[in-house]
């Protein structure tokens, strides 16, 4: 019986290490600047402006949301690529929602990133489908070319 318990504990530890490595690999893949190419959200005026001038910059475990040269906010984020769909939790580091986790999902396909999050600490979207009245927003992003130094 003890032998089986040891095997189960070792297997569980290996799964935990693998999940952490997958999250780190995904985080590395997100690094850089992403231009908003589509956005759906509750406020039409904001959605229109964000779609035309918005971008999200991932730097380590932080992200910055911009419209043109104006910073809208900063946050930390956590990924769980083992979930289906993959999970992202965005935690603002400033403003009215400071330290409040916004639960979301994401899909990364090469240079295309889709993120759908709710402005609710208890509700995570289950699919990439925005409906009028949803809190939060659905963003489709395209990786921007890295600046040459």
């Amino acid at each position: 019986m003890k032998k089986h318990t040891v095997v189960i504990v070792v297997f569980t530890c290996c799964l935990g290490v693998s999940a952490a490595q997958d999250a780190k690999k995904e985080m590395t893949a997100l690094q850089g600047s992403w231009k908003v190419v589509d956005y759906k959200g509750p406020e039409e005026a904001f959605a229109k402006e964000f779609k035309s001038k918005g971008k999200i910059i991932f730097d380590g475990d932080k992200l910055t949301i911009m419209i043109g040269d104006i910073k809208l906010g900063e946050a930390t984020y956590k990924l769980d690529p083992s979930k289906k769909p993959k999970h992202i939790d965005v935690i603002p580091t400033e403003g009215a929602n400071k330290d409040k986790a916004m639960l979301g999902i994401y899909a990364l396909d090469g240079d295309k990133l889709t993120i759908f999050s709710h402005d609710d600490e208890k509700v995570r979207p289950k699919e990439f489908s925005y409906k009028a009245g949803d809190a939060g927003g659905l963003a489709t992003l395209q990786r921007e070319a890295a600046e040459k130094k």
Side-chain angles (χ1 to χ4, degrees):
M1 181 68 173
K2 263 187 172 179
K3 196 176 199 180
H4 294 302
T5 303
V6 170
V7 170
I8 290 170
V9 168
V10 169
F11 181 69
T12 303
C13 288
C14 289
L15 286 178
V17 169
S18 177
Q21 289 172 339
D22 288 346
K24 187 172 182 166
K25 182 178 171 186
E26 289 279 299
M27 187 177 281
T28 299
L30 292 180
Q31 299 305 292
S33 183
W34 297 79
K35 181 183 182 328
V36 177
V37 294
D38 194 22
Y39 180 78
K40 294 176 179 66
E43 298 175 29
E44 292 224 12
F46 173 80
K48 184 177 179 181
E49 187 172 19
F50 196 49
K51 184 177 174 180
S52 69
K53 299 179 190 174
K55 71 178 172 180
I56 299 177
I57 302 165
F58 290 87
D59 184 13
D61 68 343
K62 294 177 176 43
L63 63 84
T64 304
I65 300 170
M66 308 281 295
I67 289 186
D69 293 333
I70 300 169
K71 180 178 84 168
L72 293 183
E74 291 182 333
T76 60
Y77 67 98
K78 296 178 185 173
L79 304 175
D80 187 348
S82 69
K83 304 292 187 193
K84 301 291 185 225
K86 297 175 183 181
H87 287 187
I88 183 169
D89 297 345
V90 177
I91 305 102
T93 56
E94 56 191 23
N97 291 325
K98 182 179 179 183
D99 299 328
K100 176 184 171 189
M102 291 186 272
L103 307 179
I105 56 176
Y106 76 99
L108 178 61
D109 183 15
D111 288 338
K112 178 183 172 190
L113 174 63
T114 306
I115 301 175
F116 187 21
S117 68
H118 282 301
D119 296 340
D120 188 321
E121 291 181 281
K122 298 180 180 103
V123 178
R124 183 181 309 276
K126 294 182 182 1
E127 57 187 30
F128 296 97
S129 176
Y130 179 82
K131 295 172 199 77
D134 281 349
L138 173 62
T140 303
L141 310 164
Q142 182 72 37
R143 183 184 304 277
E144 292 189 318
E147 290 182 22
K148 295 186 178 180
K149 295 181 181 180

